[in-house]
Short mmCIF file of all heavy atoms in Angstrom, two decimals:
data_model
loop_
_atom_site.label_atom_id
_atom_site.label_comp_id
_atom_site.label_asym_id
_atom_site.label_seq_id
_atom_site.Cartn_x
_atom_site.Cartn_y
_atom_site.Cartn_z
N LEU A 300 82.01 273.84 155.91
CA LEU A 300 80.97 272.84 156.12
C LEU A 300 79.92 272.95 155.01
O LEU A 300 79.68 274.05 154.48
CB LEU A 300 80.32 273.04 157.49
CG LEU A 300 81.25 272.85 158.69
CD1 LEU A 300 80.53 273.25 159.98
CD2 LEU A 300 81.74 271.41 158.77
N PRO A 301 79.25 271.85 154.66
CA PRO A 301 78.26 271.91 153.58
C PRO A 301 77.18 272.96 153.80
O PRO A 301 76.80 273.67 152.87
CB PRO A 301 77.67 270.49 153.57
CG PRO A 301 78.77 269.64 154.09
CD PRO A 301 79.47 270.47 155.13
N HIS A 302 76.68 273.07 155.04
CA HIS A 302 75.60 274.02 155.27
C HIS A 302 76.10 275.46 155.17
O HIS A 302 75.39 276.34 154.69
CB HIS A 302 74.94 273.79 156.63
CG HIS A 302 73.60 274.45 156.74
ND1 HIS A 302 73.44 275.69 157.33
CD2 HIS A 302 72.37 274.07 156.32
CE1 HIS A 302 72.16 276.03 157.28
NE2 HIS A 302 71.49 275.07 156.67
N GLY A 303 77.33 275.70 155.63
CA GLY A 303 77.89 277.04 155.50
C GLY A 303 78.08 277.41 154.03
O GLY A 303 77.83 278.55 153.63
N ALA A 304 78.53 276.44 153.22
CA ALA A 304 78.70 276.69 151.79
C ALA A 304 77.34 276.95 151.14
O ALA A 304 77.21 277.86 150.31
CB ALA A 304 79.39 275.50 151.13
N TRP A 305 76.34 276.15 151.49
CA TRP A 305 75.00 276.35 150.93
C TRP A 305 74.47 277.73 151.27
O TRP A 305 73.90 278.43 150.42
CB TRP A 305 74.04 275.28 151.46
CG TRP A 305 72.62 275.56 151.11
CD1 TRP A 305 71.96 275.23 149.95
CD2 TRP A 305 71.65 276.26 151.91
NE1 TRP A 305 70.67 275.68 149.98
CE2 TRP A 305 70.45 276.31 151.17
CE3 TRP A 305 71.68 276.84 153.18
CZ2 TRP A 305 69.29 276.93 151.66
CZ3 TRP A 305 70.54 277.45 153.68
CH2 TRP A 305 69.36 277.49 152.92
N ASP A 306 74.66 278.14 152.52
CA ASP A 306 74.15 279.43 152.97
C ASP A 306 74.74 280.57 152.15
O ASP A 306 74.06 281.54 151.82
CB ASP A 306 74.46 279.62 154.45
CG ASP A 306 73.67 280.76 155.07
OD1 ASP A 306 72.43 280.75 154.95
OD2 ASP A 306 74.29 281.66 155.66
N ARG A 307 76.01 280.46 151.79
CA ARG A 307 76.64 281.50 150.96
C ARG A 307 76.12 281.45 149.54
O ARG A 307 75.89 282.49 148.91
CB ARG A 307 78.16 281.32 150.97
CG ARG A 307 78.90 282.32 150.06
CD ARG A 307 78.70 283.74 150.56
NE ARG A 307 79.31 284.72 149.68
CZ ARG A 307 78.67 285.34 148.70
NH1 ARG A 307 77.38 285.05 148.44
NH2 ARG A 307 79.28 286.25 147.96
N LEU A 308 75.92 280.26 149.02
CA LEU A 308 75.48 280.13 147.62
C LEU A 308 74.07 280.65 147.40
O LEU A 308 73.73 281.11 146.31
CB LEU A 308 75.58 278.66 147.19
CG LEU A 308 76.99 278.11 147.05
CD1 LEU A 308 76.96 276.60 146.86
CD2 LEU A 308 77.72 278.79 145.88
N VAL A 309 73.21 280.55 148.41
CA VAL A 309 71.82 281.01 148.24
C VAL A 309 71.65 282.45 148.70
O VAL A 309 70.54 282.99 148.67
CB VAL A 309 70.84 280.10 149.02
CG1 VAL A 309 70.92 278.67 148.52
CG2 VAL A 309 71.07 280.16 150.53
N GLU A 310 72.74 283.07 149.11
CA GLU A 310 72.67 284.46 149.56
C GLU A 310 72.48 285.38 148.37
O GLU A 310 73.23 285.33 147.39
CB GLU A 310 73.97 284.81 150.30
CG GLU A 310 74.00 286.19 150.89
CD GLU A 310 75.31 286.43 151.62
OE1 GLU A 310 75.59 285.70 152.59
OE2 GLU A 310 76.07 287.32 151.20
N ALA A 311 71.48 286.22 148.43
CA ALA A 311 71.18 287.13 147.33
C ALA A 311 72.17 288.29 147.30
O ALA A 311 72.59 288.80 148.34
CB ALA A 311 69.75 287.66 147.45
#
Side-chain angles (χ1 to χ4, degrees):
L300 297 173
H302 197 264
W305 171 85
D306 194 54
R307 176 64 184 93
L308 291 170
V309 301
E310 184 179 298

